[in-house]
Amino acid sequence: MSTAVADQTDLVNWCDLDIRKRLHSPKRTFEFDVQLQTSHPRIVLTGPSGIGKTMVLRALAGLIRPDAGHIRIQGHTLYDSRGRVDLPARQRRMGFMFQNYALLPHLTALGNVGFGLRRGAWGFLSRAQKTEALRWLDRFQLAHAAHQYPHTLSGGQQQRLALARLAILKPRVLLLDEPFAALDPDLRRAMRCEVAALLETLNIPLLMVSHDEEDRVALQAQRVGLAQVDGRTVRVD
């Protein structure tokens, strides 16, 4: 086990979740009721498709609002229905990488990495910000592609670019949604190593959705299983 993982296991319940949400559609009612308290620095959510695993990541990131419960990360309350706390996404400092990476197609690799540092929608990067963005591009072996656009990059390069864009903002937690599913086996192994190295560099915890047990093993993560019981998604381990 790496030193970073060992150090982070000393955190007492860095992740304290109680997420309750009910969604209605003409054909069904979806009910989500999951609690998780853990000090393990790396968590992998597993379970059948369509039961709301990604909902946990989106709730942490502030992209959806639970109906009730609380979300506490590293002692910071991000959401609490009783206390009427609901921090906006931009204040939560969650490093959420979407399945499609959500890169901005009209910006170069440099522009994508530095985007979160800009002031306002039309802000420009300062010389210092460009230097910092280039440092992270170099960290992910993408310095040569600084002026290329996302569509010209390979799948693996796009994923590294997405990680660099998150890393430069120094998030509290890295949230990954099936990050390796679309990659070939060799690239999948390489990207697991990239993620592990990034977690050690930033010394932050991980919460990831994955169906692949090899992801959990490679990242030394704790498995947390979700399932539907009597029509409600709950934790089952």
Side-chain angles (χ1 to χ4, degrees), residues 133-160:
L134 282 169
R135 185 176 76 82
W136 279 105
L137 284 172
D138 185 58
R139 160 67 178 75
F140 284 95
Q141 302 176 359
L142 289 171
H144 67 284
H147 300 293
Q148 290 182 230
Y149 290 89
H151 73 275
T152 69
L153 304 177
S154 68
Q157 288 174 322
Q158 289 181 19
Q159 187 170 76
R160 296 205 305 275

PDB file of all heavy atoms in Angstrom, residues 133-160:
ATOM      1  N   ALA A 133      -0.949  25.766 -16.163  1.00  0.00           N
ATOM      2  CA  ALA A 133      -1.653  24.837 -17.042  1.00  0.00           C
ATOM      3  C   ALA A 133      -0.662  23.984 -17.833  1.00  0.00           C
ATOM      4  O   ALA A 133      -0.848  22.766 -17.989  1.00  0.00           O
ATOM      5  CB  ALA A 133      -2.574  25.596 -17.990  1.00  0.00           C
ATOM      6  N   LEU A 134       0.401  24.603 -18.316  1.00  0.00           N
ATOM      7  CA  LEU A 134       1.425  23.860 -19.047  1.00  0.00           C
ATOM      8  C   LEU A 134       2.126  22.856 -18.144  1.00  0.00           C
ATOM      9  O   LEU A 134       2.493  21.757 -18.592  1.00  0.00           O
ATOM     10  CB  LEU A 134       2.443  24.824 -19.654  1.00  0.00           C
ATOM     11  CG  LEU A 134       2.004  25.556 -20.920  1.00  0.00           C
ATOM     12  CD1 LEU A 134       2.985  26.669 -21.260  1.00  0.00           C
ATOM     13  CD2 LEU A 134       1.878  24.573 -22.091  1.00  0.00           C
ATOM     14  N   ARG A 135       2.293  23.215 -16.884  1.00  0.00           N
ATOM     15  CA  ARG A 135       2.931  22.280 -15.932  1.00  0.00           C
ATOM     16  C   ARG A 135       2.090  21.014 -15.792  1.00  0.00           C
ATOM     17  O   ARG A 135       2.634  19.900 -15.773  1.00  0.00           O
ATOM     18  CB  ARG A 135       3.110  22.961 -14.577  1.00  0.00           C
ATOM     19  CG  ARG A 135       3.860  22.112 -13.556  1.00  0.00           C
ATOM     20  CD  ARG A 135       4.086  22.869 -12.270  1.00  0.00           C
ATOM     21  NE  ARG A 135       2.879  22.958 -11.466  1.00  0.00           N
ATOM     22  CZ  ARG A 135       2.446  21.984 -10.643  1.00  0.00           C
ATOM     23  NH1 ARG A 135       3.124  20.857 -10.518  1.00  0.00           N
ATOM     24  NH2 ARG A 135       1.345  22.142  -9.953  1.00  0.00           N
ATOM     25  N   TRP A 136       0.752  21.184 -15.713  1.00  0.00           N
ATOM     26  CA  TRP A 136      -0.102  20.010 -15.585  1.00  0.00           C
ATOM     27  C   TRP A 136      -0.208  19.237 -16.897  1.00  0.00           C
ATOM     28  O   TRP A 136      -0.302  18.005 -16.889  1.00  0.00           O
ATOM     29  CB  TRP A 136      -1.482  20.418 -15.071  1.00  0.00           C
ATOM     30  CG  TRP A 136      -1.478  20.608 -13.589  1.00  0.00           C
ATOM     31  CD1 TRP A 136      -1.495  21.783 -12.897  1.00  0.00           C
ATOM     32  CD2 TRP A 136      -1.395  19.571 -12.608  1.00  0.00           C
ATOM     33  NE1 TRP A 136      -1.430  21.554 -11.544  1.00  0.00           N
ATOM     34  CE2 TRP A 136      -1.373  20.207 -11.332  1.00  0.00           C
ATOM     35  CE3 TRP A 136      -1.340  18.175 -12.663  1.00  0.00           C
ATOM     36  CZ2 TRP A 136      -1.305  19.477 -10.142  1.00  0.00           C
ATOM     37  CZ3 TRP A 136      -1.270  17.461 -11.476  1.00  0.00           C
ATOM     38  CH2 TRP A 136      -1.246  18.099 -10.242  1.00  0.00           C
ATOM     39  N   LEU A 137      -0.160  19.932 -18.012  1.00  0.00           N
ATOM     40  CA  LEU A 137      -0.112  19.219 -19.290  1.00  0.00           C
ATOM     41  C   LEU A 137       1.146  18.369 -19.375  1.00  0.00           C
ATOM     42  O   LEU A 137       1.111  17.213 -19.818  1.00  0.00           O
ATOM     43  CB  LEU A 137      -0.162  20.211 -20.458  1.00  0.00           C
ATOM     44  CG  LEU A 137      -1.524  20.821 -20.778  1.00  0.00           C
ATOM     45  CD1 LEU A 137      -1.376  21.923 -21.821  1.00  0.00           C
ATOM     46  CD2 LEU A 137      -2.490  19.743 -21.298  1.00  0.00           C
ATOM     47  N   ASP A 138       2.259  18.932 -18.954  1.00  0.00           N
ATOM     48  CA  ASP A 138       3.514  18.191 -18.958  1.00  0.00           C
ATOM     49  C   ASP A 138       3.450  17.010 -18.001  1.00  0.00           C
ATOM     50  O   ASP A 138       3.961  15.923 -18.308  1.00  0.00           O
ATOM     51  CB  ASP A 138       4.660  19.127 -18.575  1.00  0.00           C
ATOM     52  CG  ASP A 138       6.010  18.444 -18.682  1.00  0.00           C
ATOM     53  OD1 ASP A 138       6.354  17.964 -19.781  1.00  0.00           O
ATOM     54  OD2 ASP A 138       6.722  18.366 -17.659  1.00  0.00           O
ATOM     55  N   ARG A 139       2.804  17.205 -16.854  1.00  0.00           N
ATOM     56  CA  ARG A 139       2.646  16.122 -15.872  1.00  0.00           C
ATOM     57  C   ARG A 139       1.919  14.931 -16.482  1.00  0.00           C
ATOM     58  O   ARG A 139       2.210  13.772 -16.159  1.00  0.00           O
ATOM     59  CB  ARG A 139       1.878  16.665 -14.657  1.00  0.00           C
ATOM     60  CG  ARG A 139       1.201  15.651 -13.758  1.00  0.00           C
ATOM     61  CD  ARG A 139       2.181  14.769 -13.004  1.00  0.00           C
ATOM     62  NE  ARG A 139       1.506  13.844 -12.132  1.00  0.00           N
ATOM     63  CZ  ARG A 139       0.862  12.741 -12.525  1.00  0.00           C
ATOM     64  NH1 ARG A 139       0.792  12.423 -13.814  1.00  0.00           N
ATOM     65  NH2 ARG A 139       0.286  11.958 -11.649  1.00  0.00           N
ATOM     66  N   PHE A 140       1.005  15.192 -17.390  1.00  0.00           N
ATOM     67  CA  PHE A 140       0.253  14.123 -18.043  1.00  0.00           C
ATOM     68  C   PHE A 140       0.756  13.836 -19.461  1.00  0.00           C
ATOM     69  O   PHE A 140       0.028  13.273 -20.272  1.00  0.00           O
ATOM     70  CB  PHE A 140      -1.241  14.463 -18.076  1.00  0.00           C
ATOM     71  CG  PHE A 140      -1.923  14.274 -16.746  1.00  0.00           C
ATOM     72  CD1 PHE A 140      -2.090  15.340 -15.883  1.00  0.00           C
ATOM     73  CD2 PHE A 140      -2.375  13.023 -16.351  1.00  0.00           C
ATOM     74  CE1 PHE A 140      -2.711  15.167 -14.641  1.00  0.00           C
ATOM     75  CE2 PHE A 140      -2.991  12.840 -15.120  1.00  0.00           C
ATOM     76  CZ  PHE A 140      -3.157  13.915 -14.265  1.00  0.00           C
ATOM     77  N   GLN A 141       1.976  14.259 -19.736  1.00  0.00           N
ATOM     78  CA  GLN A 141       2.634  13.982 -21.028  1.00  0.00           C
ATOM     79  C   GLN A 141       1.835  14.531 -22.202  1.00  0.00           C
ATOM     80  O   GLN A 141       1.706  13.889 -23.250  1.00  0.00           O
ATOM     81  CB  GLN A 141       2.877  12.472 -21.179  1.00  0.00           C
ATOM     82  CG  GLN A 141       3.726  11.889 -20.077  1.00  0.00           C
ATOM     83  CD  GLN A 141       3.894  10.385 -20.181  1.00  0.00           C
ATOM     84  OE1 GLN A 141       3.357   9.751 -21.092  1.00  0.00           O
ATOM     85  NE2 GLN A 141       4.631   9.804 -19.252  1.00  0.00           N
ATOM     86  N   LEU A 142       1.306  15.733 -22.027  1.00  0.00           N
ATOM     87  CA  LEU A 142       0.503  16.357 -23.073  1.00  0.00           C
ATOM     88  C   LEU A 142       1.025  17.742 -23.464  1.00  0.00           C
ATOM     89  O   LEU A 142       0.341  18.477 -24.183  1.00  0.00           O
ATOM     90  CB  LEU A 142      -0.955  16.490 -22.613  1.00  0.00           C
ATOM     91  CG  LEU A 142      -1.767  15.204 -22.516  1.00  0.00           C
ATOM     92  CD1 LEU A 142      -3.103  15.483 -21.844  1.00  0.00           C
ATOM     93  CD2 LEU A 142      -1.988  14.595 -23.900  1.00  0.00           C
ATOM     94  N   ALA A 143       2.211  18.098 -23.009  1.00  0.00           N
ATOM     95  CA  ALA A 143       2.738  19.428 -23.308  1.00  0.00           C
ATOM     96  C   ALA A 143       2.836  19.648 -24.817  1.00  0.00           C
ATOM     97  O   ALA A 143       2.601  20.765 -25.306  1.00  0.00           O
ATOM     98  CB  ALA A 143       4.099  19.613 -22.650  1.00  0.00           C
ATOM     99  N   HIS A 144       3.164  18.601 -25.561  1.00  0.00           N
ATOM    100  CA  HIS A 144       3.299  18.727 -27.014  1.00  0.00           C
ATOM    101  C   HIS A 144       1.966  19.018 -27.693  1.00  0.00           C
ATOM    102  O   HIS A 144       1.919  19.492 -28.831  1.00  0.00           O
ATOM    103  CB  HIS A 144       3.869  17.428 -27.596  1.00  0.00           C
ATOM    104  CG  HIS A 144       2.935  16.261 -27.473  1.00  0.00           C
ATOM    105  ND1 HIS A 144       2.740  15.596 -26.274  1.00  0.00           N
ATOM    106  CD2 HIS A 144       2.120  15.665 -28.375  1.00  0.00           C
ATOM    107  CE1 HIS A 144       1.859  14.618 -26.454  1.00  0.00           C
ATOM    108  NE2 HIS A 144       1.468  14.652 -27.703  1.00  0.00           N
ATOM    109  N   ALA A 145       0.852  18.739 -26.989  1.00  0.00           N
ATOM    110  CA  ALA A 145      -0.482  18.914 -27.562  1.00  0.00           C
ATOM    111  C   ALA A 145      -1.182  20.156 -27.028  1.00  0.00           C
ATOM    112  O   ALA A 145      -2.396  20.296 -27.162  1.00  0.00           O
ATOM    113  CB  ALA A 145      -1.340  17.676 -27.278  1.00  0.00           C
ATOM    114  N   ALA A 146      -0.427  21.070 -26.426  1.00  0.00           N
ATOM    115  CA  ALA A 146      -1.025  22.227 -25.752  1.00  0.00           C
ATOM    116  C   ALA A 146      -1.947  23.023 -26.671  1.00  0.00           C
ATOM    117  O   ALA A 146      -2.966  23.560 -26.225  1.00  0.00           O
ATOM    118  CB  ALA A 146       0.068  23.139 -25.195  1.00  0.00           C
ATOM    119  N   HIS A 147      -1.623  23.106 -27.955  1.00  0.00           N
ATOM    120  CA  HIS A 147      -2.406  23.933 -28.870  1.00  0.00           C
ATOM    121  C   HIS A 147      -3.300  23.104 -29.794  1.00  0.00           C
ATOM    122  O   HIS A 147      -3.841  23.631 -30.772  1.00  0.00           O
ATOM    123  CB  HIS A 147      -1.468  24.834 -29.676  1.00  0.00           C
ATOM    124  CG  HIS A 147      -0.651  25.751 -28.797  1.00  0.00           C
ATOM    125  ND1 HIS A 147      -1.215  26.768 -28.049  1.00  0.00           N
ATOM    126  CD2 HIS A 147       0.678  25.759 -28.516  1.00  0.00           C
ATOM    127  CE1 HIS A 147      -0.276  27.377 -27.355  1.00  0.00           C
ATOM    128  NE2 HIS A 147       0.880  26.790 -27.606  1.00  0.00           N
ATOM    129  N   GLN A 148      -3.469  21.846 -29.455  1.00  0.00           N
ATOM    130  CA  GLN A 148      -4.398  21.003 -30.205  1.00  0.00           C
ATOM    131  C   GLN A 148      -5.786  21.053 -29.559  1.00  0.00           C
ATOM    132  O   GLN A 148      -5.928  21.339 -28.365  1.00  0.00           O
ATOM    133  CB  GLN A 148      -3.907  19.552 -30.236  1.00  0.00           C
ATOM    134  CG  GLN A 148      -2.662  19.336 -31.081  1.00  0.00           C
ATOM    135  CD  GLN A 148      -2.253  17.878 -31.108  1.00  0.00           C
ATOM    136  OE1 GLN A 148      -1.080  17.548 -30.862  1.00  0.00           O
ATOM    137  NE2 GLN A 148      -3.183  16.990 -31.383  1.00  0.00           N
ATOM    138  N   TYR A 149      -6.795  20.734 -30.379  1.00  0.00           N
ATOM    139  CA  TYR A 149      -8.165  20.703 -29.881  1.00  0.00           C
ATOM    140  C   TYR A 149      -8.550  19.282 -29.490  1.00  0.00           C
ATOM    141  O   TYR A 149      -7.962  18.311 -30.003  1.00  0.00           O
ATOM    142  CB  TYR A 149      -9.116  21.265 -30.942  1.00  0.00           C
ATOM    143  CG  TYR A 149      -8.946  22.757 -31.121  1.00  0.00           C
ATOM    144  CD1 TYR A 149      -8.018  23.260 -32.031  1.00  0.00           C
ATOM    145  CD2 TYR A 149      -9.672  23.653 -30.345  1.00  0.00           C
ATOM    146  CE1 TYR A 149      -7.831  24.626 -32.177  1.00  0.00           C
ATOM    147  CE2 TYR A 149      -9.502  25.029 -30.490  1.00  0.00           C
ATOM    148  CZ  TYR A 149      -8.584  25.505 -31.398  1.00  0.00           C
ATOM    149  OH  TYR A 149      -8.391  26.858 -31.535  1.00  0.00           O
ATOM    150  N   PRO A 150      -9.506  19.122 -28.585  1.00  0.00           N
ATOM    151  CA  PRO A 150      -9.824  17.781 -28.068  1.00  0.00           C
ATOM    152  C   PRO A 150     -10.117  16.736 -29.137  1.00  0.00           C
ATOM    153  O   PRO A 150      -9.717  15.582 -28.981  1.00  0.00           O
ATOM    154  CB  PRO A 150     -11.055  18.043 -27.187  1.00  0.00           C
ATOM    155  CG  PRO A 150     -10.866  19.437 -26.694  1.00  0.00           C
ATOM    156  CD  PRO A 150     -10.248  20.174 -27.853  1.00  0.00           C
ATOM    157  N   HIS A 151     -10.781  17.127 -30.233  1.00  0.00           N
ATOM    158  CA  HIS A 151     -11.164  16.124 -31.234  1.00  0.00           C
ATOM    159  C   HIS A 151      -9.959  15.542 -31.969  1.00  0.00           C
ATOM    160  O   HIS A 151     -10.069  14.495 -32.620  1.00  0.00           O
ATOM    161  CB  HIS A 151     -12.152  16.714 -32.244  1.00  0.00           C
ATOM    162  CG  HIS A 151     -11.531  17.673 -33.223  1.00  0.00           C
ATOM    163  ND1 HIS A 151     -11.355  19.016 -32.940  1.00  0.00           N
ATOM    164  CD2 HIS A 151     -11.037  17.485 -34.475  1.00  0.00           C
ATOM    165  CE1 HIS A 151     -10.784  19.606 -33.980  1.00  0.00           C
ATOM    166  NE2 HIS A 151     -10.577  18.698 -34.923  1.00  0.00           N
ATOM    167  N   THR A 152      -8.798  16.208 -31.852  1.00  0.00           N
ATOM    168  CA  THR A 152      -7.597  15.693 -32.512  1.00  0.00           C
ATOM    169  C   THR A 152      -6.813  14.739 -31.624  1.00  0.00           C
ATOM    170  O   THR A 152      -5.815  14.166 -32.063  1.00  0.00           O
ATOM    171  CB  THR A 152      -6.668  16.850 -32.929  1.00  0.00           C
ATOM    172  OG1 THR A 152      -6.115  17.464 -31.755  1.00  0.00           O
ATOM    173  CG2 THR A 152      -7.434  17.890 -33.732  1.00  0.00           C
ATOM    174  N   LEU A 153      -7.258  14.562 -30.375  1.00  0.00           N
ATOM    175  CA  LEU A 153      -6.543  13.718 -29.425  1.00  0.00           C
ATOM    176  C   LEU A 153      -7.156  12.330 -29.358  1.00  0.00           C
ATOM    177  O   LEU A 153      -8.349  12.145 -29.614  1.00  0.00           O
ATOM    178  CB  LEU A 153      -6.580  14.358 -28.029  1.00  0.00           C
ATOM    179  CG  LEU A 153      -6.041  15.787 -27.920  1.00  0.00           C
ATOM    180  CD1 LEU A 153      -6.217  16.315 -26.496  1.00  0.00           C
ATOM    181  CD2 LEU A 153      -4.575  15.857 -28.343  1.00  0.00           C
ATOM    182  N   SER A 154      -6.348  11.355 -28.989  1.00  0.00           N
ATOM    183  CA  SER A 154      -6.844   9.987 -28.813  1.00  0.00           C
ATOM    184  C   SER A 154      -7.694   9.912 -27.545  1.00  0.00           C
ATOM    185  O   SER A 154      -7.701  10.838 -26.717  1.00  0.00           O
ATOM    186  CB  SER A 154      -5.677   9.013 -28.702  1.00  0.00           C
ATOM    187  OG  SER A 154      -4.968   9.228 -27.479  1.00  0.00           O
ATOM    188  N   GLY A 155      -8.393   8.791 -27.367  1.00  0.00           N
ATOM    189  CA  GLY A 155      -9.222   8.615 -26.177  1.00  0.00           C
ATOM    190  C   GLY A 155      -8.419   8.708 -24.890  1.00  0.00           C
ATOM    191  O   GLY A 155      -8.840   9.341 -23.915  1.00  0.00           O
ATOM    192  N   GLY A 156      -7.248   8.085 -24.884  1.00  0.00           N
ATOM    193  CA  GLY A 156      -6.403   8.139 -23.699  1.00  0.00           C
ATOM    194  C   GLY A 156      -5.897   9.545 -23.425  1.00  0.00           C
ATOM    195  O   GLY A 156      -5.820   9.977 -22.269  1.00  0.00           O
ATOM    196  N   GLN A 157      -5.544  10.275 -24.493  1.00  0.00           N
ATOM    197  CA  GLN A 157      -5.086  11.654 -24.319  1.00  0.00           C
ATOM    198  C   GLN A 157      -6.214  12.542 -23.803  1.00  0.00           C
ATOM    199  O   GLN A 157      -5.996  13.410 -22.961  1.00  0.00           O
ATOM    200  CB  GLN A 157      -4.556  12.190 -25.646  1.00  0.00           C
ATOM    201  CG  GLN A 157      -3.228  11.594 -26.072  1.00  0.00           C
ATOM    202  CD  GLN A 157      -2.804  12.047 -27.446  1.00  0.00           C
ATOM    203  OE1 GLN A 157      -3.633  12.192 -28.359  1.00  0.00           O
ATOM    204  NE2 GLN A 157      -1.515  12.285 -27.618  1.00  0.00           N
ATOM    205  N   GLN A 158      -7.424  12.322 -24.300  1.00  0.00           N
ATOM    206  CA  GLN A 158      -8.568  13.095 -23.823  1.00  0.00           C
ATOM    207  C   GLN A 158      -8.813  12.842 -22.335  1.00  0.00           C
ATOM    208  O   GLN A 158      -9.126  13.773 -21.580  1.00  0.00           O
ATOM    209  CB  GLN A 158      -9.816  12.745 -24.630  1.00  0.00           C
ATOM    210  CG  GLN A 158      -9.797  13.265 -26.048  1.00  0.00           C
ATOM    211  CD  GLN A 158     -11.071  12.924 -26.802  1.00  0.00           C
ATOM    212  OE1 GLN A 158     -12.106  12.614 -26.219  1.00  0.00           O
ATOM    213  NE2 GLN A 158     -10.998  12.974 -28.127  1.00  0.00           N
ATOM    214  N   GLN A 159      -8.658  11.595 -21.916  1.00  0.00           N
ATOM    215  CA  GLN A 159      -8.872  11.300 -20.509  1.00  0.00           C
ATOM    216  C   GLN A 159      -7.791  11.951 -19.644  1.00  0.00           C
ATOM    217  O   GLN A 159      -8.091  12.515 -18.581  1.00  0.00           O
ATOM    218  CB  GLN A 159      -8.896   9.791 -20.274  1.00  0.00           C
ATOM    219  CG  GLN A 159      -9.282   9.442 -18.836  1.00  0.00           C
ATOM    220  CD  GLN A 159      -9.546   7.964 -18.659  1.00  0.00           C
ATOM    221  OE1 GLN A 159      -8.605   7.179 -18.599  1.00  0.00           O
ATOM    222  NE2 GLN A 159     -10.805   7.590 -18.571  1.00  0.00           N
ATOM    223  N   ARG A 160      -6.549  11.908 -20.079  1.00  0.00           N
ATOM    224  CA  ARG A 160      -5.479  12.571 -19.329  1.00  0.00           C
ATOM    225  C   ARG A 160      -5.694  14.075 -19.286  1.00  0.00           C
ATOM    226  O   ARG A 160      -5.421  14.726 -18.273  1.00  0.00           O
ATOM    227  CB  ARG A 160      -4.109  12.218 -19.925  1.00  0.00           C
ATOM    228  CG  ARG A 160      -3.752  10.743 -19.837  1.00  0.00           C
ATOM    229  CD  ARG A 160      -2.265  10.501 -19.860  1.00  0.00           C
ATOM    230  NE  ARG A 160      -1.598  11.087 -21.010  1.00  0.00           N
ATOM    231  CZ  ARG A 160      -1.486  10.505 -22.204  1.00  0.00           C
ATOM    232  NH1 ARG A 160      -2.016   9.301 -22.413  1.00  0.00           N
ATOM    233  NH2 ARG A 160      -0.846  11.097 -23.183  1.00  0.00           N
TER     234      ARG A 160
END
